[in-house]
């Protein structure tokens, strides 16, 4: 790792901000507005950061025009400072870590019939099976597994110990984090007098471009047709996507959420953490579901949806929980009372 | 991968159906009844598929005798068409992918004292530790780990990057999917004035025959005695089975369900996804638990059980949630009202 | 594996108990008080085990002084028998399995610039990247991955197929179980007109001493500052710790719990399984949260907290769930009734 020192002018150029103040100041760290020191750059996104902005010791601040007069630090003015911050982290990361250079490690196992475009890096102990097609500048981390006939698009990164199984296809500029498993068999079994008979899962997983799959997230292959993750989808860690689920463009799903089989989720949805979504339902575009909800039915209109029992002291919860189990009775009782 | 083309007669033989119609038609795909085209085979399981059956373009249909007169396609008649479909996927899979051939990859690490029966395949970068006993025709995927003294039965498949730790035993014809971890230490610690003291977990995991363990599912080793998964159990992805749990024959558990320590689950249960089951309880045979339930007590009678807060708009949920936290008070208030 | 046979006197010395009875008896198994046979040692922790204690066939019992007169078996008397049992399992484990001996397996990949202190064992197919610092007697399991610049303290064990990514630091005497992922990118994205823009995660993960991280548990790296797991924390399997979470000393968290970003959890908390904790909140020291709770707000006073809908028959649940969705209406109706 290197240390990073960038001029304010370089940063402003990279993030598309208008620079006001000293363009030559060297920035050596990125910090929150409260903890920033000399040499730091920070960003503010709204009014609630005004007081810390006035007090900050940051050398530079990414901020909207409306707040540009509130500080004597160098200002990088832009409409969306949070996006500016995102672009800054990308610039920083490139300087801090450099870029992975093309290299097939001696301990990697790459099948002869696999096709690797230029610039592909394959780290130690990684495995690429026959007939895989690996796009330009793909990075295959240590211990990652790429199955037979898998297709990986340009610039995609597979982190160490991730797994992409037979026949799946992943688009350009995706990230598959460590421990993720793409293309395990869907949970399909037919009951019989001899117990459960496996339904072999003959579909695959199709993942679009600019998709992020979190650590230990699983996306199962389809039964006959494919499981589909559209362009721009971001999935956090520990998510379960069952067979034949479809997730629409730019939908974001937070950690520990499970989606049962054949459910269709629209575009631009935001689904909180630890949500459980039953199978064979539809969730339309532009739906927000708050954390810990139980999605037990289709959601056919955009908007915000919730469920869940808020936290209480255990003593209070015990009393309420007992009453909850008699709620139907209570309601009937109330119905009989005279108004 | 190959393409598949099978005669209707071959399929009927393989799945045990009575063929009515053209035995020679070549089938080149399996489809749902709605999407089937010429060359497809499909299946119908009940009355609700009658209309699509009448309209289907499928060349062949697996169906029960009662519906055999409803189509002019070639019919494969059997009592349980869904089971027929399961058997067909097995046949298809064998033709599509072939079978893994015996081979110890040059990069695999197999201890000298491990015993491999005939027909065992060990893929790249896999590790088999000393004194492991690997049954005939077992497939050990790339990067899979088999610990010291592990026993694996005939025909079992360990998918890439799965982990089976020291001393565990797995029966015949099981599947362990990628990212699964069998035999990690149970979560046992004793409090002390110096913090938590680890209770070393001296049991193992015993898994029966025809068991399926999903991707990223964990089954912990027992504290003193073993954690037990019986014959025919099917576990989906992201399931946590804590130490000393027992799961009875042919029980099916859907994804993201967690089972705390020492809980005993009977045979032929069906447990939905995202269920949380507390420790040290009993669930008898033939229990159905619906998705997202909180199993906070033993279940001693067969039947269907549920819990959970159904989805609402966030606005409505906020109102109801506030009231829920005062439900005991409300109930007392109602109790005082005159009927 | 070996068989174990230890004299009662050896055990008493190792666990710090006072021996009363035959010091020479050979102990060959550890058992629960109910299942113990001749040659077994067992332990009892309280009054509820008095009846089985009186009937036990165990050759030796770890127990508190108050119960020492209740058995004719050899007694190992100490204040905290459960702690004694924990220490006994440690002794037993060392005799049963021996200790891993220093060895760099021929198939492991260790970067030249990595520094390994004495006694380090690196198993087959493991990878240690440049500039990693590995403390004395560390055990790196098969297929484990240690990223660039990672620091691992003395005596820590990384189990097979665990992953520690770039720049993270882990203290002394920790255990990282199989499938765990330390230091994956936090889930940080800024919305833009071109979809989600990744916020590169520039922090790392800092883990203290004597920390246990369960199988398939994920701890994400911080956005700018680090995610912090303090000394003595124990995390079960399938836990998600998002970026910039802090967990205080000796806090214990059971399986399948998720903690969203930037939440601060105090010391000595006990958090049950399948709990979901929202982001950006504070939980103070000494908080107990029962299984399956939804922690939707800060907890600023020590004590026990709960939420969740207890299990019912599905028939009863359906009735109550419908009423729950009209609870606000019911409450208003009751408010209008005459007392």
């Amino acid at each position: 790792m290197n240390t990073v020192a960038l001029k304010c002018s370089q940063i402003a150029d990279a993030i598309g901000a208008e620079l006001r103040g000293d363009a030559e100041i060297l920035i050596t760290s990125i910090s929150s507005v409260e903890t920033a020191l000399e040499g730091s750059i920070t960003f503010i996104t709204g009014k609630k950061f005004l007081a810390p902005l006035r007090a900050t010791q940051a050398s530079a601040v990414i901020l909207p025009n409306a707040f540009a007069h509130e500080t004597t630090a160098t200002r990088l003015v832009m409409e969306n400072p949070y996006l500016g911050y995102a672009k800054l982290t990308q610039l920083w990361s490139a300087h801090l870590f450099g870029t992975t250079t093309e290299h097939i490690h001696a301990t990697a196992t790459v099948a002869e019939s696999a096709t690797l475009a230029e610039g592909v890096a394959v780290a130690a102990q990684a495995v690429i099976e026959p007939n895989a097609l690996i796009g330009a500048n793909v990075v295959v981390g240590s211990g990652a597994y790429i199955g037979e006939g898998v297709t990986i698009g340009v610039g995609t990164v597979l982190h160490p110990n991730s797994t992409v199984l037979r026949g799946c296809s992943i688009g350009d500029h995706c990230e598959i984090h460590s421990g993720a498993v793409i293309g395990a068999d869907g949970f399909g079994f037919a009951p019989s007098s001899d117990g459960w008979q496996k339904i072999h899962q003959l579909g695959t997983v199709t993942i679009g471009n600019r998709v992020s799959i979190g650590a230990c997230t699983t996306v199962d292959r389809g039964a006959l047709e494919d499981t589909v993750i559209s362009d721009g989808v971001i999935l956090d860690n520990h998510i379960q996507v069952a067979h034949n689920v479809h997730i629409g463009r730019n939908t974001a799903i937070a950690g520990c959420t499970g989606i049962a089989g054949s459910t269709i989720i629209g575009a631009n949805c935001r689904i909180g953490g630890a949500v459980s979504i039953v199978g064979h339902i539809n969730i339309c575009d532009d739906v927000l579901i708050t954390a810990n909800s139980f999605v037990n039915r289709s959601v056919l209109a955009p908007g915000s949806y919730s469920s869940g029992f808020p936290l209480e002291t255990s003593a209070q919860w015990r009393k309420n929980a007992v009453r909850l189990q008699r709620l139907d009775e209570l309601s009937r009782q109330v119905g009989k009372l005279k108004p």
Side-chain angles (χ1 to χ4, degrees), chain A:
Chain A
M1 280 184 237
N2 313 303
T3 54
V4 181
L6 298 168
K7 286 185 192 175
C8 284
S9 54
Q10 281 178 280
I11 295 174
D13 284 357
I15 71 175
E18 182 204 330
L19 193 138
R20 299 185 198 161
D22 186 345
E24 298 299 307
I25 290 179
L26 274 183
I27 297 300
T28 57
S29 68
I30 312 175
S31 303
S32 69
V33 65
E34 293 90 349
T35 63
L37 298 173
E38 208 185 314
S40 296
I41 187 166
T42 188
F43 64 98
I44 71 156
T45 52
K47 250 195 290 194
K48 68 174 171 176
F49 297 105
L50 255 183
L53 171 64
R54 288 168 183 151
T56 191
Q57 298 180 48
S59 295
V61 184
I62 309 170
L63 39 55
N65 188 50
F67 303 132
H69 59 284
E70 298 282 358
T71 176
T72 56
T74 290
R75 284 137 291 159
L76 290 82
V77 179
M78 61 192 298
E79 211 175 317
N80 185 345
Y82 195 57
L83 179 59
Y85 160 57
K87 290 179 175 174
L88 171 60
T89 62
Q90 187 177 357
L91 178 71
W92 206 267
S93 179
H95 278 83
L96 192 60
F97 303 122
T99 47
T100 309
T101 49
E102 172 180 9
H103 178 67
I104 313 294
H105 195 278
T107 63
T109 303
V110 180
E112 266 185 54
S113 62
T115 304
L116 278 60
E118 64 180 26
V120 170
V122 184
Q125 320 286 2
V127 175
I128 302 179
E129 297 278 23
N131 302 313
L133 286 172
I134 313 296
N137 303 316
V138 163
V139 177
V140 180
S142 287
Y145 175 80
I146 297 179
E148 193 179 342
V150 163
T151 303
I152 311 274
V154 171
T156 284
V157 177
L158 288 93
H159 289 274
N161 290 337
S162 57
T163 303
V164 182
L165 294 153
R166 186 164 53 189
C168 293
S169 91
I170 296 178
D172 299 342
H173 304 297
C174 295
E175 277 196 85
I176 311 293
H177 284 93
S178 296
V181 177
I182 310 301
D185 285 341
F187 195 57
F189 294 85
S192 84
S193 53
D194 293 333
W196 297 104
Q197 299 298 313
K198 181 180 174 83
I199 296 168
H200 290 256
Q201 303 288 298
L202 303 171
T204 74
V205 176
T206 301
I207 293 179
N209 301 318
R210 290 166 293 101
V211 168
S212 181
I213 305 281
C216 291
T217 280
T218 53
V219 183
D220 280 354
R221 64 177 52 236
L224 291 173
E225 292 167 7
D226 290 351
T227 303
V228 177
I229 312 282
S230 305
D231 292 350
V233 166
I234 52 175
L235 302 182
D236 195 0
N237 298 353
H238 276 291
I239 290 174
Q240 152 71 349
V241 180
H243 52 181
N244 298 103
V245 165
H246 284 227
I247 302 179
R249 286 172 66 95
N250 294 331
T251 282
I253 305 182
C256 304
T257 283
I259 307 162
S262 299
T263 279
I264 310 298
I265 298 177
N268 301 310
C269 294
R270 298 194 192 189
I271 298 178
V275 169
S276 21
I277 304 178
V278 300
H280 296 275
I281 63 169
N282 282 279
I283 297 175
C284 69
D285 294 351
D286 299 306
V287 167
L288 181 87
I289 296 174
T290 60
N292 196 51
S293 294
F294 172 34
V295 183
N296 62 326
R297 59 165 173 90
S298 287
V299 177
L300 302 176
S304 179
Y305 296 82
S306 302
S307 82
F309 198 131
L311 196 73
E312 312 187 288
T313 62
S314 297
Q316 186 61 39
W317 173 73
R318 274 189 293 267
K319 288 182 198 168
N320 288 332
V322 164
R323 300 295 190 175
L324 181 53
Q325 295 193 285
R326 295 179 197 149
L327 185 56
D328 180 54
E329 195 186 316
L330 181 74
S331 299
R332 286 173 193 282
Q333 202 179 332
V334 171
K336 286 176 192 159
L337 291 169
K338 287 169 201 147

